[in-house]
Amino acid sequence: IGANNHTLNATCVARPTFSDIGGSPYKNEIEKSAAFGFLKGYQGLSGPYGPSDSFLRSQAAVVMIRMSNRTNA
C-alpha cells in the first residue's frame, strides 16, 4: 500500500430483518448473510426466514453460488 493512492467504493444496504429469528443466537449472522445477498427469506410455515425448516442440498447449492459470485477486490 505504501505511498500509493487508493480508491474505495462502498455501497451501503439496509440489513434485512426476519420476524421469526428474534431469539436466535445466530440472528446477527443470518442478517449479515441476507445483507450480502447470500440468504433470502420466504413465506413458509415458520415465517419469512424459517429457522426450523429443513435446508435442502439444492438450497445449499444456491447459497454457495451466490457466495462464489461475490466480487472481492
Side-chain angles (χ1 to χ4, degrees):
I1 296 177
N4 297 328
N5 292 326
H6 299 278
T7 301
L8 173 66
N9 295 319
T11 302
C12 297
V13 296
R15 182 181 284 198
T17 59
F18 300 105
S19 60
D20 55 350
I21 61 167
S24 172
Y26 307 107
K27 181 180 187 294
N28 189 44
E29 289 76 12
I30 293 168
E31 290 176 347
K32 279 184 186 178
S33 295
F36 280 120
F38 302 152
L39 301 175
K40 298 179 188 244
Y42 70 101
Q43 290 301 320
L45 297 176
S46 302
Y49 180 72
S52 299
D53 295 350
S54 297
F55 191 61
L56 303 175
R57 293 184 334 171
S58 56
Q59 292 168 317
V62 170
V63 170
M64 288 187 279
I65 293 298
R66 288 179 186 154
M67 293 176 76
S68 68
N69 288 337
R70 183 166 180 248
T71 58
N72 294 308

